[in-house]
Amino acid sequence: MPTKQVTKSRYQTRNDDKVFSEEERAAVAATARERKSAAGRSPAQERGDGEADLRESLAKMPADDRAMGERIHEIVTTAAPALVPKTYYGMPAYARAGKDGKVIAFYKPKSKFKVRYSTFGFQPDASLDDGKMWATEFAVIELTPGVQDQIAELIKKAAG
């Protein structure tokens, strides 16, 4: 009697092959929690909760990533105080206030994806357009005074 061959669905195969890393799966789960918790909050609640979520995200980072993230947070909140702090895929981020609340910038610590440098990046809604091509993510090895000034200028421009 022939045996019946069991075939896996394409979703089972993807999970078995580990198409997404544990870090990527955790980031997707984090963004789902972020979106669910953001529903129905007042602007004041959104800012307060976002700040708390961002601080919690920073607290979980290794010391070097946390120090860089805390300094970037100071730079962003000073340069563009109208932006709302929050988390984005579990990472510190900054969004426009108001109804659309779209994230325009984020800090991705090197420990998140086990790479050699952290990045400070921008989403498509950031106002960084500059000709036919412009950078949207910057590797940050060290926060020198010049790098800090550059981040401040970029976030001011991105915030519009």
Side-chain angles (χ1 to χ4, degrees), residues 29-51:
T31 197
R33 284 190 303 275
E34 292 160 4
R35 288 179 185 188
K36 187 175 182 180
S37 71
R41 292 189 292 195
S42 72
Q45 287 174 313
E46 184 179 5
R47 184 172 291 278
D49 291 350
E51 179 78 25

Side-chain angles (χ1 to χ4, degrees), residues 10-28:
R10 64 184 181 165
Y11 302 107
Q12 288 171 320
T13 302
R14 285 185 185 161
N15 288 338
D16 290 348
D17 293 341
K18 299 233 182 224
V19 172
F20 297 104
S21 69
E22 290 297 321
E23 292 82 4
E24 290 167 327
R25 283 195 285 279
V28 170

Side-chain angles (χ1 to χ4, degrees), residues 7-153:
T7 58
K8 293 182 179 182
S9 77
R10 64 184 181 165
Y11 302 107
Q12 288 171 320
T13 302
R14 285 185 185 161
N15 288 338
D16 290 348
D17 293 341
K18 299 233 182 224
V19 172
F20 297 104
S21 69
E22 290 297 321
E23 292 82 4
E24 290 167 327
R25 283 195 285 279
V28 170
T31 197
R33 284 190 303 275
E34 292 160 4
R35 288 179 185 188
K36 187 175 182 180
S37 71
R41 292 189 292 195
S42 72
Q45 287 174 313
E46 184 179 5
R47 184 172 291 278
D49 291 350
E51 179 78 25
D53 292 345
L54 185 142
R55 295 281 180 193
E56 183 180 331
S57 173
L58 289 170
K60 293 176 184 175
M61 294 178 192
D64 58 339
D65 283 340
R66 182 174 51 253
M68 183 176 283
E70 288 171 346
R71 183 63 190 124
I72 287 173
H73 180 61
E74 291 172 18
I75 294 165
V76 171
T77 55
T78 300
L83 294 180
V84 177
K86 62 189 312 177
T87 55
Y88 178 68
Y89 292 95
M91 299 175 288
Y94 305 90
R96 289 200 170 102
K99 192 169 185 164
D100 82 346
K102 292 191 177 185
V103 168
I104 63 163
F106 58 91
Y107 167 63
K108 183 168 40 174
K110 66 181 182 253
S111 60
K112 180 90 172 169
F113 296 105
K114 299 176 179 74
V115 295
R116 66 184 183 92
Y117 53 79
S118 297
T119 61
F120 189 69
F122 298 90
Q123 289 295 96
D125 290 304
S127 304
L128 292 178
D129 302 36
D130 184 18
K132 300 289 183 198
M133 185 173 89
W134 57 89
T136 60
E137 198 162 348
F138 298 84
V140 183
I141 304 288
E142 183 181 354
L143 285 173
T144 64
V147 169
Q148 293 179 57
D149 291 345
Q150 188 175 4
I151 290 171
E153 288 306 311

